[in-house]
Amino acid sequence: AVLTNTSAMVLLTRRHAALALPLLLCSISPSSSASASSLGPVPLAFAGGLMPQSTRKFGSATCSRAAARVPARTLHSSVMKAGQSADGDITGTILRLDTELSGAWSSEGKKGAGQRSKEWFQQQEQERLRKVLSVRVRHILVSTSDLALQLQDQLRNSKTDFEVLASQISNCESSRVEGGNVGWVSQGDEFLDDVLPATAREAALLKKPGDIALVETDRGWHLVKVEDVMYDLTRSVTARSKPYGRDGAAYFAPLKELLNKDAGTTLTYSVETMGCQMNSADSERIAGQLESMGMERTDNPSKANVVVYNTCSIRDHAEQKVYSYIGPQAERKRRGESVAIVVAGCVAQQEGDKLLRRIPEIDLVMGPQYANRISDLLEDVINGNQVVATEAVPISEDMTRPRRDSELSAWVNIIYGCNERCTYCVVPTTRGVEQSRPRDSIRKEMEALAAQGYREITLLGQNIDAWGRDMEPKQKFADLLEFVANVEGIERVRYVTSHPRYMSLSVVETVAMHPKLAKCFHIPFQAGDDEILKAMGRGHTVEQYLQIIDRIRMLCPDAAITADVIVGFPGETEEQFQNSMKLMETVKFDVVNTAAYSPRPNTPAASWDNQLTEEVKADRLQRVMRLAKTHALEKSQRYIGRTLEVLVEDRNVKRPEQVKGRIDQGRPVYLEGDIEELKGKIVPVEIFDAGAYYLVGKVVGVPR
């Protein structure tokens, strides 16, 4: 493919030509005396006619199969940057070009969206720095600034491992043998001055996990990588003023009394998880912490000494479940049993000490950010205190291994929190500011899981495409996917959840190129009407969403596309609801998670006076569910007669002679087989039947 006019030519690599990137027919020359802004839009044709036969508006640009129009100023600026590329890297040039064009397409959708202010981010950073106790770092010491800058670029733009680079090139003899490892440092660690002088430690203490600081000291130039940060554990601790059992029969500190009676006592715990995959991952970490304290898991909460309810506040009925679950445990405590009641997760973060006032038998209330600090908090509980830990605090890297609920598939968090301000969503107020995990930490966790026999990983984030934008230097989610796509032993890598505002061509391209990256995209659209999307603060339009779908269909034609939708949003008319139905008819999703709007505390939409009746919401929910099921069946039927690879996970509990697994696109498959022989193996399966949300097949090849 060739970008050309009378004065300029840029070659696109075969890789990008295959992806049908636009052929830019630019009529502006670098020497033109006319201003770019006065020349108007420039025609843009697409290679091979692969773009959809429709004209669509993206911000200030309009695109069609035959031609698309991008503001001349944007295009001219992009081409000039391409021409001025010093390194001659055509791939990099085209990616920069694609980024700028994407920015032009999405600019309109971002206006007025529910984004945080600059002042808010500054306040959050000040709060974070106030809690920093120490940081765990590695460093590379070199003698010149030029070399330091080259290494910084290398670490930013490639897959170079910091430890390997440190062991090869660092001038610091004491840390070089350990890959530059310095360990935990704080400002007052003067004994480290000969390794990492105070100036470098000061710079490191201002950074977040994954950041790399470039600092000059009297030893030379340091590249200091922050691997973890230890934060002050902020909580409210209140001593119980009276016994909580009937007639004073119970102890102030039942667990402590139990342990004092019998030093050999082993405490038991149970964890009840409600809500999303993020909560499931948090529960695994909570369980890992409790087992690190010597506790044993029981599946019977009525027998557990520590009962944890990891709660969800997305929907009203999920929140109400919490109180019904706690009731029997509170009764146990009133009878004098040795039990500690813990409420964790989003309801805990949302309600805080109100939970203690409503149910005084509760011992610990903690937000999601404390999932891997529960052992510290329980020490106060064991000593007879009620504890509330809901203050915003960044999450440290896990100090203990999670207790995984599966032997084959594991969750791996890559980014916590959410910076969006969707007007219906409680998540930003319960899970805090976005915090990306270092890519090396993510890969090491995946490698450890592979060594334990895990074969599938799901990368987790509320807004996963935002990974890396909070780091210094900034990083891209597509680069992370490429970095983890080849972990030996891991056969499939999935990820959730994408936000249409941030999903880029490079992500779709990376998934298309790597066989281990599952061809399954979960991209919530939430509504199919631009006015409703604007009221929701989503920051994108229907047409921008469809552009993402077009990219996926073009690069991964057999991929599964799943989504979420909310019906009955405040002010939604029947016509606007029908627009959501039309979007579903256009895309025909493999799965759509449906929900009727539910007002949530501390969200703007909850206070609006244009709420719809429950009857209207229920009717629309039923209609959208029927349509989603129709499309799901249609999508399932496309697999009939095909042979697919199925990762066998477990026995079919309803039919013990069958096993259950999943294909690359995520569809469950049932087939006859011996679970002892097939569990954990990838099996060639011919599909002969299909339901809306499952497939049925038979083994036709050798498992591996």
Side-chain angles (χ1 to χ4, degrees):
V2 180
L3 163 65
T4 182
N5 66 7
T6 57
S7 61
M9 177 179 293
V10 177
L11 297 179
L12 307 186
T13 63
R14 189 172 102 183
R15 168 188 178 195
H16 286 86
L19 298 178
L21 283 176
L23 299 180
L24 307 179
L25 305 180
C26 179
S27 60
I28 310 169
S29 74
S31 59
S32 172
S33 58
S35 69
S37 59
S38 67
L39 292 176
V42 179
L44 186 70
F46 289 92
L50 294 177
M51 293 301 285
Q53 281 280 16
S54 61
T55 300
R56 294 177 176 166
K57 184 178 179 183
F58 297 92
S60 57
T62 302
C63 297
S64 71
R65 172 179 291 195
R69 302 177 72 80
V70 177
R73 181 184 305 169
T74 299
L75 185 58
H76 182 262
S77 172
S78 301
V79 174
M80 290 307 97
K81 288 185 179 181
Q84 293 167 4
S85 175
D87 55 13
D89 178 7
I90 298 299
T91 299
T93 297
I94 297 305
L95 288 177
R96 287 192 294 273
L97 179 60
D98 175 62
T99 299
E100 297 220 3
L101 295 179
S102 296
W105 287 338
S106 60
S107 60
E108 182 177 277
K110 291 184 179 180
K111 293 178 181 178
Q115 292 181 300
R116 306 280 194 175
S117 67
K118 181 178 179 181
E119 291 74 18
W120 183 86
F121 283 108
Q122 292 173 341
Q123 181 181 2
Q124 294 299 307
E125 180 61 8
Q126 290 171 1
E127 285 296 307
R128 185 190 74 82
L129 292 174
R130 183 176 62 83
K131 299 181 176 75
V132 174
L133 297 176
S134 60
V135 294
R136 180 162 56 85
V137 301
R138 294 180 185 272
H139 83 133
I140 298 174
L141 177 64
V142 294
S143 56
T144 68
S145 60
D146 288 343
L147 180 55
L149 291 170
Q150 290 177 23
L151 294 175
Q152 186 181 46
D153 287 340
Q154 185 176 345
L155 290 164
R156 178 193 295 120
N157 300 321
S158 74
K159 302 177 185 178
T160 303
D161 187 289
F162 192 97
E163 292 182 43
V164 173
L165 196 60
S167 64
Q168 293 173 344
I169 203 169
S170 179
N171 293 336
C172 180
E173 295 183 4
S174 61
S175 66
R176 185 174 61 225
V177 293
E178 296 184 3
N181 184 46
V182 179
W184 289 98
V185 304
S186 59
Q187 184 57 46
D189 292 340
E190 296 180 359
F191 66 92
L192 288 173
D193 283 351
D194 292 339
V195 178
L196 197 69
T199 305
R201 297 198 301 275
E202 288 175 8
L205 287 164
L206 297 175
K207 300 300 181 182
K208 300 182 293 297
D211 289 353
I212 298 177
L214 179 59
V215 189
E216 183 183 19
T217 73
D218 56 5
R219 296 196 68 202
W221 288 86
H222 299 258
L223 288 162
V224 185
K225 180 183 178 182
V226 176
E227 296 189 324
D228 200 0
V229 180
M230 180 62 68
Y231 296 97
D232 185 25
L233 187 63
T234 306
R235 73 273 201 196
S236 169
V237 179
T238 304
R240 289 188 180 274
S241 58
K242 60 182 180 180
Y244 44 73
R246 292 174 179 152
D247 301 322
Y251 300 105
F252 285 93
L255 299 184
K256 185 174 182 179
E257 294 291 337
L258 180 63
L259 292 172
N260 287 342
K261 286 180 183 178
D262 184 356
T265 298
T266 298
L267 299 180
T268 58
Y269 76 92
S270 71
V271 180
E272 181 75 30
T273 306
M274 311 165 196
C276 67
Q277 300 99 323
M278 295 292 289
N279 268 18
S280 297
D282 288 346
S283 290
E284 291 181 345
R285 282 158 173 74
I286 289 171
Q289 284 267 305
L290 296 177
E291 291 189 4
S292 73
M293 298 174 68
M295 297 188 193
E296 293 182 355
R297 184 165 189 163
T298 175
D299 294 327
N300 186 354
S302 65
K303 300 296 183 182
N305 300 116
V306 177
V307 181
V308 181
Y309 295 106
N310 194 10
T311 61
C312 171
S313 61
I314 290 294
R315 302 180 189 176
D316 186 58
H317 70 270
E319 180 181 320
Q320 296 302 323
K321 284 168 60 176
V322 177
Y323 302 110
S324 62
Y325 275 82
I326 293 175
Q329 306 306 325
E331 176 62 24
R332 286 179 62 197
K333 180 165 284 193
R334 288 191 290 270
R335 292 197 301 264
E337 292 188 37
S338 297
V339 57
I341 302 173
V342 180
V343 181
C346 293
V347 171
Q349 182 68 28
Q350 174 183 294
E351 299 298 318
D353 58 5
K354 294 178 184 177
L355 285 167
L356 299 184
R357 293 196 293 271
R358 180 164 178 172
I359 306 178
E361 289 82 6
I362 294 173
D363 295 282
L364 169 60
V365 177
M366 66 178 207
Q369 64 273 31
Y370 292 90
N372 61 352
R373 304 292 295 273
I374 188 173
S375 59
D376 298 320
L377 300 173
L378 276 177
E379 289 183 13
D380 290 320
V381 172
I382 290 173
N383 287 322
N385 300 299
Q386 288 181 299
V387 181
V388 177
T390 55
E391 184 170 330
V393 62
I395 298 171
S396 299
E397 279 294 301
D398 292 338
M399 305 303 292
T400 56
R401 196 173 82 181
R403 183 194 187 280
R404 307 288 180 177
D405 289 333
S406 168
E407 298 174 355
L408 300 172
S409 303
W411 313 108
V412 173
N413 289 95
I414 71 163
I415 181 171
Y416 303 101
C418 182
N419 289 352
E420 300 305 298
R421 290 294 293 166
C422 298
T423 57
Y424 57 84
C425 186
V426 73
V427 167
T429 61
T430 58
R431 286 196 171 268
V433 68
E434 286 172 359
Q435 178 190 342
S436 300
R437 288 184 66 198
R439 66 175 189 174
D440 291 336
S441 298
I442 295 166
R443 185 178 174 102
K444 286 177 181 177
E445 183 174 352
M446 292 176 64
E447 290 172 342
L449 289 166
Q452 298 167 40
Y454 286 86
R455 305 203 73 185
E456 181 179 271
I457 298 294
T458 299
L459 306 177
L460 287 181
Q462 299 292 156
N463 182 5
I464 204 161
D465 295 274
W467 178 89
R469 68 174 179 172
D470 59 323
M471 291 180 168
E472 295 181 21
K474 294 184 184 296
Q475 300 183 44
K476 297 179 180 179
F477 178 55
D479 295 334
L480 175 66
L481 283 178
E482 189 159 356
F483 183 62
V484 302
N486 62 346
V487 174
E488 187 175 353
I490 300 299
E491 296 294 333
R492 288 179 183 163
V493 179
R494 305 183 186 278
Y495 66 89
V496 288
T497 297
S498 292
H499 193 300
R501 181 191 292 177
Y502 301 102
M503 184 132 186
S504 68
L505 172 62
S506 57
V507 170
V508 183
E509 176 188 350
T510 303
V511 172
M513 290 174 58
H514 289 278
K516 288 188 177 183
L517 297 179
K519 307 304 180 281
C520 183
F521 298 86
H522 183 70
I523 317 169
F525 65 92
Q526 304 299 14
D529 182 87
D530 285 346
E531 287 300 316
I532 295 298
L533 287 171
K534 184 176 181 180
M536 288 179 166
R538 291 289 290 167
H540 65 88
T541 65
V542 171
E543 293 300 332
Q544 289 165 342
Y545 185 88
L546 289 174
Q547 171 68 0
I548 296 170
I549 303 303
D550 291 340
R551 289 174 169 182
I552 295 171
R553 297 289 193 222
M554 180 173 61
L555 302 181
C556 304
D558 199 35
I561 302 177
T562 65
D564 301 340
V565 63
I566 298 172
V567 300
F569 188 76
E572 180 188 66
T573 65
E574 176 63 24
E575 180 182 0
Q576 290 170 329
F577 167 70
Q578 287 297 331
N579 286 339
S580 293
M581 301 282 274
K582 290 176 184 176
L583 174 59
M584 291 173 63
E585 289 283 11
T586 299
V587 178
K588 295 190 176 180
F589 295 95
D590 291 71
V591 176
V592 177
N593 300 316
T594 60
Y597 171 74
S598 173
R600 308 312 303 129
N602 307 314
T603 60
S607 62
W608 296 349
D609 58 8
N610 56 348
Q611 307 290 328
L612 304 189
T613 65
E614 293 302 316
E615 291 76 14
V616 169
K617 290 191 285 187
D619 173 67
R620 291 179 183 175
L621 181 61
Q622 290 301 313
R623 283 188 279 164
V624 78
M625 288 172 63
R626 286 195 295 269
L627 183 60
K629 187 173 182 179
T630 298
H631 292 159
L633 179 59
E634 181 179 334
K635 288 295 184 179
S636 287
Q637 289 173 337
R638 82 182 194 266
Y639 296 117
I640 293 178
R642 295 170 56 180
T643 297
L644 307 172
E645 290 194 333
V646 176
L647 175 59
V648 177
E649 300 172 347
D650 216 333
R651 192 187 306 277
N652 182 358
V653 294
K654 295 182 179 179
R655 297 185 60 181
E657 74 276 10
Q658 288 185 336
V659 297
K660 175 186 176 182
R662 293 180 186 273
I663 60 174
D664 187 57
Q665 291 86 345
R667 260 303 189 266
V669 181
Y670 297 99
L671 59 141
E672 291 190 4
D674 183 353
I675 189 61
E676 301 301 326
E677 176 187 349
L678 297 179
K679 187 171 185 178
K681 294 183 178 179
I682 293 180
V683 183
V685 176
E686 182 180 332
I687 305 301
F688 61 79
D689 195 10
Y693 301 109
Y694 67 90
L695 306 172
V696 182
K698 61 181 180 180
V699 178
V700 293
V702 180
R704 61 179 176 87

